[in-house]
Every structure is written in structure tokens, then in C-alpha cells.
Amino acid sequence: MTKENLKGFILALLSSGFIGASFIIKKKGLRKAAAASGVRAGVGGYSYLLEPLWWIGMITMIVGEIANFVAYAFAPAVLVTPLGALSIIVSAVLAHFILKERLHKLGMLGCVMCIVGSVIIVIHAPQEHPITSVQEIWSMATQPAFLLYVGSVIVLVFILVFLFAPRCGHSNVLVFTGICSLMGSLSVMSVKALGTSIKLSFEGKNQLIYAETWFFMMVVAVSVITQMNYLNKALDTFNTAIVSPIYYVMFTTLTILASVIMFKDWDGQSGGTIVSEICGFIVVLSGTILLHVTKDFERISSFKGSSAPVSPSLSTRLCSGNGELLLKYNNEEDVPSSEEVCLSRHELY
Amino acid sequence: MTKENLKGFILALLSSGFIGASFIIKKKGLRKAAAASGVRAGVGGYSYLLEPLWWIGMITMIVGEIANFVAYAFAPAVLVTPLGALSIIVSAVLAHFILKERLHKLGMLGCVMCIVGSVIIVIHAPQEHPITSVQEIWSMATQPAFLLYVGSVIVLVFILVFLFAPRCGHSNVLVFTGICSLMGSLSVMSVKALGTSIKLSFEGKNQLIYAETWFFMMVVAVSVITQMNYLNKALDTFNTAIVSPIYYVMFTTLTILASVIMFKDWDGQSGGTIVSEICGFIVVLSGTILLHVTKDFERISSFKGSSAPVSPSLSTRLCSGNGELLLKYNNEEDVPSSEEVCLSRHELY
């Protein structure tokens, strides 16, 4: 592995660690806030904003996102993006030990697969051609093949936003996740361009004097905001356990595709290496699916078991107003946050 | 991939296809025999011996084993042995379509993992040094490192057979599976030696005139018989769903270890390639575990659901005499064989 790839790899690992831990810290904060005020975030409480732990979680997340941003400046997107799945492992393992949300045995197998798949991806990651100026990135971004990709993405996003979202956005999970995956691939490419420019500026070659740098900054702002907006819509409408794996596979696939077109990552790599990378990606994806599916096992099986003698750890009640079913755990310290317990109607049927 | 490796790879694929299909054909035969005579093999019936379908299954299995044997003559054990897991996929997929034993969605994910892991193994498989005579194999088998391996295996097998088997062979699944995995690694090495000698003889260089060839033949006979004997004991005592993955991982690991010592498969391979091979093996293993674990999901969840309103497709009754619990499926065409429905006490508690 080259020195630059190694830096990017370590930054991506740190990023996954911080982002994974941030979920746990935020949830601890939500629980503390709910215990203090008696009103949960899921039913409209905002007391968590006064809870320092929640803010520590927020800061951890921002640090993780910055590490991720810097990682793109050093290593190819084909390496950094799939490693994002490791944050799921970090949060699953920490949840197991800190929040006592017991990990299913198959979930552990999912963790092993995510790690093994990441190892395969890291071993076969391509080496990047060193970039010396923002103009070089600009010429890569304006090559016909990549312009065609950007054009197709924009057309598809417009079709999805204006034609499909109003009609079936709330019944088909692929609409919102599709929009944020398509925009996500543009986010990563522009983040990589901006990150490289800033890195070059720090190295003494000031790139802020060029209009291209500011253009990339604008693209980052627009694409990240669109992506976040539709990701929130997807998570609001559908359950995390369904959205996360679909989003992961679409986002990662499109980002790899965009990176391969723009940065020609696969040029000079053998067929075997490329196939291995794809296999590693499929392994990580399968691990992610396994983790997410088995996260629901206990909940669903407990739920199904309600016609049998009532489990002492579970009682059910209906949210007033929004028609969602809340499962309330009787565990003394467990005050779950909204995204964990609000099963939308889509999941139940 | 070299021409020799390709031949071995195709033979290993064919072997997995035949062995996987043989399970289904034999089971079809068992069902037909049970339907005709009214007595199932699981409760002592032998009517399946008069059923042609059962014999076709038996022949398919033998053809598969021969293909496997020949595969070892062409490709390294590091490539051929892990591909054995593909027979599990073939039988799971055929069972889904022919026997209507519905595959769980996670079982399908397990199949995908087995295939992806196999692709990774095949891509990184080492190239074999061409062997020209049985004496060359003999010198490899008598090198100090491999003699040390064989010595350790024999000592361990004796300890397991005479010390552990009488005491905890029927309570600890690792005893019988350990014996057949240890002997299995010797089986594969001697099968490979014998296969290569026969291949050389067919190519015009008669190896049957050398005592070494006959010695390897004797080792094949002794090790295969011991291995089969203890595999049957393991399957008799514990459930297939527990024995299969444990046996697969121990047998494959020990065989790879033996092959790496004897044939120096990893000499001249880069660290990345070796790590990729190991990752591929872990992926196949995870897929196998997933397939076997989820095979039990429906059965166990139906069983657990018995305190709820009785499922119309399931009734339970106790086998007379041997204390095993039989689950009888009411499905009109489903007459399961003994290994499918007799859950031993070990599995239930």
C-alpha cells in the first residue's frame, strides 16, 4: 500500500470509529434527557438540546465527517467509500457493550464479513496518480465520459424528484434513497476535488485563487444539502433497517462508478484485482444486510410472540396521532430513541 | 489461471454439482420408498434399497467423488478443498425448487457469500510446480516439516480416539469432528499423491511399478475409512446443522495447512495474495454457517410457536423408544428423511 493510501485508510478508519461512536453517545444523551424530563424525542421532546452528552455525540460525528472528508484527499474513493460500513460495526459493537442492546449471533457474523470484505478492498485498492493542481481535477471532471455521467445523474434526479417522488415516494423505498444515492456520488466527487485543493493549498500551492476551487465548493454545498434532505425524508418514511442497506449499496456503487469514470481508478489494474475489489464490496454489503436484518430479529420475534404468554420485557402501545406503533421496552435503563422504536406501517405489513 | 488449475477448477465444480444433486435424488428416492412401504428410513425401514431413484443418487454421488479425486491431481488442494462448499449451495438451491424446501432469504445471502468467496479463492489460487514422478511427491511427503505434521496428526487422533471419545465424544461435538478433520487432511494429501501418480501413468509414465504409489494407496484406504467412520458417528450423535459448518472449517483449515506444508503452495505468493485467499475462505465459511443456521430458522421458529395457536402445517409426536422428537410435516408430498426431522436432544437444549 502506498503512503498516501495508508494515510487515507487510517483517516477512513478513524472516521468510522468517530461516526460509529457518535450514534451511541447521542443515544445515551437522548436517554438521559428523556429520563430527566419524561418526554422522548420520538414524541416531540427537545430536552436533549440541554444535554451535554448529546452535544458531545454531535461533535464526535462532525469530527468523524471531517476525517472522512480529509481521507478523500489522500486515497481513492474506491477505497474510502466502502470502508464507511465499518461505522455500522463500531456502533453495533458499542451498542452491545454500552447500551446492552445484545447483538444477535448472525449480527456478529455480519461484523466479521464487513471486516473481511474491507480487508479484501484495502488489499486491492488502486494507487492514485498524484494530483498537482485544481486545474488537473477540473480537466478530469470535464472529460466527456464524466460529463455524460453528471448529465445522466442530474436528469435522473429531476425525474425522480418531480415525477416519482409525488406519486410513489412514500410507498417505494427506492425513490428517496435513489435521489440521495445519485446526489451522494456527486457529493463524494466534489468533496474529493475540494479536499485535494485544500490539501494542495496547505502544502504551499495555494488553490483558492482559482475559480475552479470555488465552483467545487458550491457543488459540495448543493449536492450535500440535497443528499441530506432526501436521506432524512427516506428515514422519516421508512425504517432504518430497510433504508440503510439499500442506501449503502446504491450510494457505494454509484460513487465507485463515478470515481472509476472520473479518476480512472481501474486503469492499469488487472482483471483479477478489479473482480476482487467488487467481491470485497459484495462481502461488505452482505455483512451490512446481515447486521441490519438480524437487528430486527429479536424485535420482530418478540412482537410475533405476543399471542404466546406476554414476554416480561415488552409491552406495546400506540402513538397518538401519527398511527405508528411504538414498542416500549420495560428494561429499567432502556429509553429508546424515536428511530429505534417507531416501526412505520411499511415495516409491519 | 493456468491450464492445469482450470481443469482442476472445472472438475471441482462438476464434483460439487454431482454431490449436491445426489442428496436431492437420494431424498426423492427415500420419500418414494417411504410412500410405497409406509416405513421411513429414520425408524428402521430399508425399503429404499429397492428404489431405483435412491441408487441413481448413490451413483451420482460416486461420480462426484471421482471428479473431486481427479481435481486434486490437477489443481492445488488450497483451490479444490474450499470449493467443496459449493455442493451445499447446489443442494440448497435444488431442494428449494425440487423438494419445495423453501430457502430462507438469509440462506440465499449465504449462497451469494459462498460464490463470492469461491471467486476470491479461485482468483488468488497458487500455481503448482509441475510434478514428474511419484518419487518427487515422496520426497515432499518425507520432508521434516511434513513428517512433523503427520506425526502430530497421528498423536492427536490417538489421544482423541482413546482418551476423549469414550469420555465426552457424545457430549462435545469437537471430538468426532476433530478426528475426521485431522484424518481428512491426510486423506486429501494421499488422494492428491495417488491421483497425480495415476495421472502420470495415464500420460505414459507408469508409476504403478513404484512401491511409493502402493504405499499412498494404502494411506488413502486407511485415512478415508477412519474419516468416514467418525463422520458417521458425528452425524449420528449431533445434528447436521451443527456438524457441517464445524467439520467444514476444521477439515478445510487442516487440509490447507497440510497442503501449504507439503506442496509449499504459498511459496512465491505475495502477502496480499495469501491474505486474500484466507479472506475468501472466511467468506465461504460465513456463507456455509449462514446457510446452515437459517435452514433451522423455520423449523425452530415453528417449534417455538407451539404455545401460540397451532400452525396448520405442523404437528408433533414423539418417536417411540429412542427419545428423539420427530416433527412431522403435514404437507401432502413431504415425507422427510431421518436426518431432516430427527432433532436430537443436543439441538433442543
Side-chain angles (χ1 to χ4, degrees), chain B residues 288-318:
Chain B
T288 316
I289 293 176
L290 202 54
L291 251 171
H292 276 287
V293 170
T294 52
K295 211 163 80 181
D296 271 16
F297 268 10
E298 312 257 301
R299 216 193 289 163
I300 284 177
S301 64
S302 311
F303 185 68
K304 275 190 184 159
S306 57
S307 60
V310 175
S311 151
S313 68
L314 185 84
S315 68
T316 57
R317 64 180 181 86
L318 280 159

Side-chain angles (χ1 to χ4, degrees), chain A residues 21 23 147 161 176 242 280-281 325 328 334 345:
Chain A
F23 288 118
L147 286 181
V161 168
F176 290 146
I242 296 160
F281 170 52
L325 196 67
K328 190 180 162 299
D334 202 23
R345 271 154 300 175

